[in-house]
Amino acid sequence: MRAKLSSINDEAWTKEMLSSYQLRSPANEGPEASKFQAAEEKFDNKMLRNTNATGDFKLPGDFLKEVSLHDVRLLPNSMHWRAQQTNLEYLVMLDVDRLVWSFRKTAGLPTPGTPYGGWEDQKMELRGHFLGHYLSATAMAWASTRNETVKQKMDAVMSVLSECQKKIGTGYLSAFPSEFFDRLENLVYVWAPYYTIHKIMAGLLDQYTLANNGQALNITIWMADYFNTRVQNLIARSSLERHYQTLNDESGGMNDALYKLYGITKDPKHLKLAELFDKPCFLGLLAVKEDNIAGLHANTHIPLVCGVQNRYELTGDEQSMAMGTFFMDIINSSHSYATGGTSHQEFWTDPKRIATALSAETEESCTTYNMLKVSRYLFKWTKQVTYADYYERALTNGVLGIQRGTEPGVMIYMLPLSPGSSKAKSYHGWGDAFDSFWCCYGTGIESFAKLGDSIYFEQEGKGPGVYIIQYISSTFDWKAGQIVIHQNVDPVVSWDQNLRMALTFTSNKGPGVSSVLNLRIPFWANPNGGKATLNKDNLQIPSPDDRPQYASLQAIFYGPYLLAGYSQHDHEIKTGPVKSLSEWITPIPASYNAGLVTFSQKSGNSSLVLMKNQSVTIEPWPAAGTGGDANATFRLIGNDQRPINFTTVKNVISKQVMFEPFDFPGKLLMQQGNNDSLVIANNPGNSVFQVNAGLDGKPDTVSLESVSRKGCFVFSDVNLKAGAALKLNCQQPDDGFKQAASFVMQKGISQYHPISFLAKGSNRNYLLAPLLSFRDESYSVYFNITN
C-alpha cells in the first residue's frame, strides 16, 4: 500500500488513505495503554537513562565467535554454491550509474544513465534502500568469492557516494532530500526514511569490515554526526516523546547499525544515539516478558531485537540478552511457520493461531532474513542445538527457495503457504531483475551472498575449538587451529536415509595445535522420531495451532527439508490404519525418471503438448518451472504395474502401457463415457494403451491405441489448435486422422527431484518434493492428515 501511495497519481485516493494515518505509540490509547506505558518506563529506566557502558566489556570466554566469510568457501557440489553463483551473476549484472542515479540527483551532481524502476523509481520515497543492501551484498560476495568484477563495482559505488556526501556538505547522504525527515519529525506521512538510512549505513559498515574500505567508515561517521545533531535538535525543540513517535514509522535497524558503529569507534555519542533508536514501546514488552506482539508489523520490529542483541555484546547489559531470548521463544512457540518464517501480510497475528493465517501473502522473506540473525546470536551465546536447528530450517526452507531456480535477479517477496499456493501467484509474484527492488530483493541479495557465514563457529581459549553446525559442502581455513577443514556432503536423496558427510583436514602451518571439533546432532537425526531439548528438558515440537479443530493440520519434513505436495488446492490426506509414516510415505527411486515422457504435435512453426488439465488437452509448450511442464509429463507403467524405461521410441513400440500423470500419482490417463473423452481417473480397465509406430509414418512418432477398444486411437484434432480436448477416435484413418493421432514421444520435460516421495491417501496421492525446488508450480505445504 505504501508503494502504491508513492506511485499513484490519484489525489482523492491518497487523501482517503492518509486520513486515518498517524504515527502513534501503542501506549497512547486503548485498554492496554497502562501495560505498554509501564513496559516503556521500565525499559527507559533500565537501559536508556542509566547507561554506564565503558566500551571495555568482553564477552564471556565460552561464547562462540563467528568466523570470517573470507575464510569459508562453498564447494560446487552444493545447492548453496549454486544459489550463491546465481546471486553473484545478478550483482554483476547491475549497473553502477543506474544504482546511484538518485544519490547524484539529490546531491545536485550530473546523472548519467537512467534510474532503475520498482521501489528505486524516482516516485518512490523508499528509493536508495536497495543500494545499501547492494553495498552489504557485494562486500559479502567479495569476501566469499574474491570476484574481481564485484570488487570493481562496489569500489565504483563507494567513490560516487563519497562524492555525493562531500557535495551536500553536511554529512547527509541519501537518494531522497533531507526534507523527508522534516515531514517525519512533524508527523506528516512519509515512507520510512530511517529504514533507508539504516540500509545505507549497514552497507557502508560491511564495506569497512569485510572489504577494508576506510572511506566507508568515514562516510558513516559523518552520517552519524548529521543524525545525532538532527535527533538532539528534535528532542530539544519538541520532546523525547516526539522522537519516539518518529520511530513508530518503520525505522529498520538504526539501533543495530549505530551499535555496530560504536563497536568500531568506541565513541560514546554513537552509543547514546544507538540507544535513542531502541524503541521503548516494543522493547519494553520484551523486557517485562509480555507476548503481546500480535498486530505489529513484523519486519519493523525484528531488526530492533538484533540491535539490542548487539548492544549486549558491546555493553554486557543482561536485560538485552534476555530480551533476545524471550523474543525468539515467543516467535518459535507462537508465531512461526514450518519454514521458520513469520508474519502474515507482513504482520504478526494472534499467537498460536496460524492455521487461519495461511494465504498467498504468508511469510515475508525479509522476516526470515532477520530471524536468522536473531537465532545466530543466541546460538553463539548458548550453544543450544535448538537455535542451530532453527537456523538450518529457516535457511533451507525460508531462504533457498526465494530464487526462481538459477535465473539471476528473479526472486519473490512473499512465500505463500496456503493450500494450492504458487510462488508466482502472490500479490507481487516473481520480481524482475531491473524493475522490482522490493525490500525482499535487498535482503535476498544479502542472504545469498553470505551463505557461508553460519556453517562454522570458533571457540577461543587455550585449547581452541570449532563447531560445525551446518552440513554444507565447504572449506574453512581455521587459522586458530592451524588447519583447513574440508567438509564434503553427499547430495541428499529420498531413497537413502543417511546423511553422508566426510571431513578431511589439511595442515596449513606445519604441526597443528591441540583443538576440539564439535558436530551438531540435528533433532531430525534421531531414528526413533524427532525431539528437541532445552536444559535437558524435552520440548514439545509446536503444532501450527493450539485449537483442537486444527490438530490434524501438519507439515511434512524429510530431515531439514520441508516437503510440499503438487496440488491445485487439495490438502487432505486420509491415511487409513497405519503403524508408521513409512507405510504411507514412500521414496520415489531415481530409476523412475527413466520412465517419464512427454507427447507433442507440430502446429505450424510451434509445438503443442498433451497436457493434463481439467480434461486432457493439447496446449502450447510450457516454459520450464511454470507448472505446465509437470502437467505435460507422464510416467510409463506396464499393464503388469511395473515401471517401463523409455530410452528411444523403438524400445516401447508394441508395448502395452498405462500413463500416470507426473503430479497426480496413482491416477491414470483413461477413456471415459460415450463421447470417448480422455480424462485422468482411476480405472485400469480403460487405461491400457498399446504403443504403435506413428500412423503418420515418421520415425520419431507413436500412436496410442486403446487395448479395450481395438482400432481406436488417442486423437487431437484434424485442424490442430491449442486447447483442443483429446479423445479416442475410431474412424477409418485418412491422412488428416493419421497426423492427428501421431505424437512425438520424448523424455519428460519434468523430472523427479532427488528428494521426492509418494504420500498415499485414500482419496488421492501426492507427489512430495522440497518446497525450495518449486518455481511456478502449485503446491500445498500444510496437510490435513487424518486416519
Side-chain angles (χ1 to χ4, degrees), residues 29 203 240 251 273 308 352 370 423 472 480 510 522 604 615 653 777:
E29 57 185 51
L240 178 61
S251 55
L273 184 59
V308 294
K352 299 182 181 180
N370 280 310
K423 296 174 184 177
I472 298 171
S615 57
I653 295 295
E777 306 93 337

Side-chain angles (χ1 to χ4, degrees), residues 768-782:
L768 304 179
L771 177 61
L772 63 85
S773 68
F774 282 78
R775 287 176 282 181
D776 298 357
E777 306 93 337
S778 295
Y779 58 80
S780 291
V781 166
Y782 284 99

Side-chain angles (χ1 to χ4, degrees), residues 140-167:
M140 295 165 180
W142 161 247
S144 299
T145 68
R146 281 297 193 273
N147 182 280
E148 282 298 325
T149 305
V150 163
K151 179 74 163 60
Q152 293 166 10
K153 284 182 175 286
M154 68 186 190
D155 287 349
V157 169
M158 284 302 311
S159 177
V160 172
L161 294 183
S162 177
E163 183 183 10
C164 289
Q165 190 183 42
K166 289 175 181 176
K167 179 67 166 60

